mmCIF file of all heavy atoms in Angstrom:
data_model
loop_
_atom_site.group_PDB
_atom_site.id
_atom_site.type_symbol
_atom_site.label_atom_id
_atom_site.label_comp_id
_atom_site.label_asym_id
_atom_site.label_seq_id
_atom_site.Cartn_x
_atom_site.Cartn_y
_atom_site.Cartn_z
ATOM 1 N N GLN A 317 -0.082 20.887 -6.426
ATOM 2 C CA GLN A 317 0.007 19.592 -7.100
ATOM 3 C C GLN A 317 -1.032 18.652 -6.485
ATOM 4 O O GLN A 317 -0.985 18.359 -5.296
ATOM 5 C CB GLN A 317 1.410 19.008 -6.945
ATOM 6 C CG GLN A 317 1.620 17.695 -7.685
ATOM 7 C CD GLN A 317 3.024 17.152 -7.458
ATOM 8 O OE1 GLN A 317 3.472 17.014 -6.321
ATOM 9 N NE2 GLN A 317 3.731 16.849 -8.535
ATOM 10 N N ILE A 318 -1.952 18.199 -7.305
ATOM 11 C CA ILE A 318 -3.031 17.333 -6.826
ATOM 12 C C ILE A 318 -2.666 15.872 -7.098
ATOM 13 O O ILE A 318 -2.257 15.515 -8.212
ATOM 14 C CB ILE A 318 -4.358 17.692 -7.502
ATOM 15 C CG1 ILE A 318 -4.781 19.106 -7.096
ATOM 16 C CG2 ILE A 318 -5.451 16.687 -7.135
ATOM 17 C CD1 ILE A 318 -6.000 19.625 -7.822
ATOM 18 N N PHE A 319 -2.790 15.060 -6.076
ATOM 19 C CA PHE A 319 -2.582 13.619 -6.234
ATOM 20 C C PHE A 319 -3.426 12.894 -5.191
ATOM 21 O O PHE A 319 -4.072 13.511 -4.343
ATOM 22 C CB PHE A 319 -1.100 13.237 -6.120
ATOM 23 C CG PHE A 319 -0.490 13.517 -4.775
ATOM 24 C CD1 PHE A 319 -0.461 12.538 -3.790
ATOM 25 C CD2 PHE A 319 0.081 14.750 -4.491
ATOM 26 C CE1 PHE A 319 0.107 12.782 -2.549
ATOM 27 C CE2 PHE A 319 0.661 15.005 -3.261
ATOM 28 C CZ PHE A 319 0.664 14.016 -2.278
ATOM 29 N N HIS A 320 -3.420 11.584 -5.269
ATOM 30 C CA HIS A 320 -4.221 10.756 -4.383
ATOM 31 C C HIS A 320 -3.335 9.743 -3.674
ATOM 32 O O HIS A 320 -2.270 9.377 -4.190
ATOM 33 C CB HIS A 320 -5.303 10.010 -5.176
ATOM 34 C CG HIS A 320 -6.151 10.909 -6.019
ATOM 35 N ND1 HIS A 320 -5.707 11.419 -7.223
ATOM 36 C CD2 HIS A 320 -7.403 11.394 -5.834
ATOM 37 C CE1 HIS A 320 -6.657 12.188 -7.750
ATOM 38 N NE2 HIS A 320 -7.692 12.189 -6.927
ATOM 39 N N ALA A 321 -3.770 9.299 -2.525
ATOM 40 C CA ALA A 321 -3.103 8.200 -1.826
ATOM 41 C C ALA A 321 -4.129 7.112 -1.566
ATOM 42 O O ALA A 321 -5.212 7.379 -1.021
ATOM 43 C CB ALA A 321 -2.480 8.667 -0.522
ATOM 44 N N LEU A 322 -3.788 5.907 -1.974
ATOM 45 C CA LEU A 322 -4.649 4.752 -1.736
ATOM 46 C C LEU A 322 -4.127 4.007 -0.520
ATOM 47 O O LEU A 322 -2.939 3.667 -0.452
ATOM 48 C CB LEU A 322 -4.678 3.843 -2.962
ATOM 49 C CG LEU A 322 -5.623 2.641 -2.903
ATOM 50 C CD1 LEU A 322 -6.120 2.282 -4.305
ATOM 51 C CD2 LEU A 322 -4.973 1.409 -2.262
ATOM 52 N N TYR A 323 -5.018 3.766 0.427
ATOM 53 C CA TYR A 323 -4.721 3.005 1.638
ATOM 54 C C TYR A 323 -5.513 1.707 1.559
ATOM 55 O O TYR A 323 -6.749 1.714 1.658
ATOM 56 C CB TYR A 323 -5.123 3.798 2.878
ATOM 57 C CG TYR A 323 -4.431 5.130 3.038
ATOM 58 C CD1 TYR A 323 -4.874 6.261 2.346
ATOM 59 C CD2 TYR A 323 -3.321 5.272 3.881
ATOM 60 C CE1 TYR A 323 -4.236 7.496 2.491
ATOM 61 C CE2 TYR A 323 -2.685 6.504 4.024
ATOM 62 C CZ TYR A 323 -3.153 7.601 3.324
ATOM 63 O OH TYR A 323 -2.528 8.822 3.474
ATOM 64 N N GLY A 324 -4.818 0.590 1.343
ATOM 65 C CA GLY A 324 -5.494 -0.684 1.158
ATOM 66 C C GLY A 324 -5.214 -1.673 2.267
ATOM 67 O O GLY A 324 -4.257 -1.531 3.022
ATOM 68 N N HIS A 325 -6.069 -2.696 2.363
ATOM 69 C CA HIS A 325 -5.982 -3.783 3.347
ATOM 70 C C HIS A 325 -6.315 -3.287 4.755
ATOM 71 O O HIS A 325 -5.700 -3.713 5.736
ATOM 72 C CB HIS A 325 -4.610 -4.453 3.315
ATOM 73 C CG HIS A 325 -4.176 -4.876 1.935
ATOM 74 N ND1 HIS A 325 -4.871 -5.808 1.206
ATOM 75 C CD2 HIS A 325 -3.138 -4.479 1.157
ATOM 76 C CE1 HIS A 325 -4.273 -5.981 0.034
ATOM 77 N NE2 HIS A 325 -3.227 -5.175 -0.020
ATOM 78 N N LEU A 326 -7.306 -2.420 4.838
ATOM 79 C CA LEU A 326 -7.705 -1.829 6.112
ATOM 80 C C LEU A 326 -8.742 -2.679 6.828
ATOM 81 O O LEU A 326 -9.285 -3.643 6.267
ATOM 82 C CB LEU A 326 -8.275 -0.427 5.862
ATOM 83 C CG LEU A 326 -7.373 0.548 5.113
ATOM 84 C CD1 LEU A 326 -8.131 1.825 4.798
ATOM 85 C CD2 LEU A 326 -6.112 0.848 5.913
ATOM 86 N N SER A 327 -9.036 -2.301 8.069
ATOM 87 C CA SER A 327 -10.137 -2.930 8.799
ATOM 88 C C SER A 327 -11.452 -2.431 8.213
ATOM 89 O O SER A 327 -11.561 -1.281 7.751
ATOM 90 C CB SER A 327 -10.066 -2.584 10.282
ATOM 91 O OG SER A 327 -10.263 -1.198 10.483
ATOM 92 N N LEU A 328 -12.461 -3.269 8.236
ATOM 93 C CA LEU A 328 -13.750 -2.900 7.648
ATOM 94 C C LEU A 328 -14.367 -1.707 8.368
ATOM 95 O O LEU A 328 -15.002 -0.845 7.738
ATOM 96 C CB LEU A 328 -14.694 -4.099 7.673
ATOM 97 C CG LEU A 328 -15.971 -4.006 6.836
ATOM 98 C CD1 LEU A 328 -15.652 -3.636 5.388
ATOM 99 C CD2 LEU A 328 -16.729 -5.321 6.899
ATOM 100 N N ASP A 329 -14.147 -1.610 9.673
ATOM 101 C CA ASP A 329 -14.742 -0.483 10.403
ATOM 102 C C ASP A 329 -14.051 0.846 10.088
ATOM 103 O O ASP A 329 -14.542 1.908 10.476
ATOM 104 C CB ASP A 329 -14.774 -0.742 11.908
ATOM 105 C CG ASP A 329 -13.396 -0.873 12.551
ATOM 106 O OD1 ASP A 329 -12.378 -0.646 11.880
ATOM 107 O OD2 ASP A 329 -13.344 -1.222 13.750
#
Side-chain angles (χ1 to χ4, degrees):
Q317 183 182 52
I318 295 174
F319 64 93
H320 307 78
L322 184 150
Y323 300 81
H325 309 298
L326 304 173
S327 65
L328 193 53
D329 64 7

